[in-house]
Amino acid sequence: MKKIIQIPLPYWNERPKKCAIKAIVLHCSAHEGIPMVKLLNKLRLSAHFVIGTDGRIFQLVPEEKRAFHAGVSSWREMVNLNHYSIGIELSSPSMGEKVYSDEQLASLVSLCRALIRRYNIPAENIAAHSDVAPTRKPDPGKAFPWQRFAACGVGLWYDLNDADKIKENDVEKLLKIIGYNTDNLPAASYAFCRHFVPELIQEQGNISDIITNVYPANFVLPSEYLPHLKACAYKFSKRY
Ligand SMILES: [Zn+2]
């Protein structure tokens, strides 16, 4: 792995007792590595790591401390992901609409593999900010290559052949099995698509649109994609 460049920020606190590290939350921001660190500093926010488009890795907060990156969030049994997770910000000038660079992805894979080994992080707990905060956040965006990552041992992907192995057909229940908070079903459904069926995500092009229009208000998963959701829920259900 590339040498990690330390730029400590003071925006962290202690993880609550009994909140072991057991998740990774991936983010993106339109700023390059060092300008992103400066922006986080100005906003009094943080992440454990920032990875630039050139693959350079910056560490801002010690892993054992609680960084301020996920905000109001939940995933599976976890509420407030900052308590449990390592937060990684990726520089992405397109806010995750255009492909991530190979150098950046290679750095991210090696960093995630090291974290997974060190903390025994289960594959189902490697999530997007959009997964854990579906009403508020679009990052790391439709271009993030989750399928390729799963093939590298980082996160989970599904096999469409598994769709018939799960009897449940209710979209909300299936999303819950994967880990989504479904209080806002259009937002949770769209977040599922961002991660697992990115071809259904509209290209927005304009960064402020991406950030402000996180999901279409009345979004419903097209019925022809129910098998994708079922296959995915099957994969995640095996992990309980
Ligand atoms: Zn984020």
Side-chain angles (χ1 to χ4, degrees), residues 32-45:
E32 246 321 323
I34 289 180
M36 194 195 301
V37 177
K38 287 186 175 155
L39 179 68
L40 288 169
N41 190 39
K42 195 170 141 198
L43 298 172
R44 305 170 76 85
L45 294 171

Side-chain angles (χ1 to χ4, degrees), residues 25-28 69-70 89 129-130 137 139-140:
V25 177
L26 299 183
H27 302 262
C28 79
H69 56 96
E89 281 276 3
H129 200 190
S130 53
K137 296 292 174 181
D139 57 317

Side-chain angles (χ1 to χ4, degrees), residues 31-240:
H31 304 272
E32 246 321 323
I34 289 180
M36 194 195 301
V37 177
K38 287 186 175 155
L39 179 68
L40 288 169
N41 190 39
K42 195 170 141 198
L43 298 172
R44 305 170 76 85
L45 294 171
S46 59
H48 294 89
F49 297 96
V50 164
I51 305 182
T53 54
D54 57 4
R56 282 195 298 168
I57 305 174
F58 304 92
Q59 181 165 15
L60 319 186
V61 172
E63 289 162 14
E64 68 275 15
K65 303 299 184 189
R66 178 180 176 278
F68 305 160
H69 56 96
V72 175
S73 52
S74 68
W75 185 247
R76 300 176 77 82
E77 76 287 0
M78 296 171 279
V79 175
N80 195 334
L81 269 290
N82 284 346
H83 293 353
Y84 304 94
S85 66
I86 298 284
I88 305 176
E89 281 276 3
L90 302 166
S91 299
S92 170
S94 69
M95 258 321 269
E97 295 255 296
K98 305 265 185 303
V99 288
Y100 285 87
S101 75
D102 286 341
E103 296 92 322
Q104 190 176 31
L105 293 174
S107 291
L108 180 62
V109 167
S110 52
L111 176 60
C112 286
R113 280 181 172 163
L115 294 169
I116 290 164
R117 263 198 311 274
R118 198 169 307 142
Y119 301 108
N120 203 13
I121 296 172
E124 66 273 21
N125 285 356
I126 297 168
H129 200 190
S130 53
D131 292 322
V132 306
T135 59
R136 301 187 299 114
K137 296 292 174 181
D139 57 317
K142 60 183 271 195
F144 188 83
W146 288 103
Q147 186 172 9
R148 194 170 133 196
F149 257 55
C152 299
V154 182
L156 278 184
W157 197 252
Y158 57 91
D159 178 347
L160 263 181
N161 293 318
D162 289 337
D164 292 336
K165 293 182 185 163
I166 191 161
K167 293 213 164 55
E168 187 58 63
N169 283 311
D170 180 78
V171 168
E172 182 169 0
K173 286 184 182 152
L174 290 163
L175 288 168
K176 278 193 170 132
I177 292 170
I178 297 169
Y180 290 97
N181 176 327
T182 58
D183 291 351
N184 182 324
L185 191 55
S189 304
Y190 205 63
F192 164 78
C193 293
R194 258 205 185 89
H195 188 139
F196 296 104
V197 202
E199 63 267 31
L200 289 179
I201 302 300
Q202 283 178 349
E203 183 107 22
Q204 285 175 293
N206 174 320
I207 288 175
S208 68
D209 279 355
I210 298 169
I211 296 169
T212 50
N213 301 316
V214 173
Y215 64 97
N218 299 312
F219 183 77
V220 176
L221 182 76
S223 57
E224 64 266 37
Y225 288 91
L226 185 63
H228 297 68
L229 176 58
K230 290 182 61 145
C232 192
Y234 176 77
K235 188 68 89 180
F236 278 72
S237 71
K238 294 269 120 198
R239 312 289 300 190
Y240 278 113

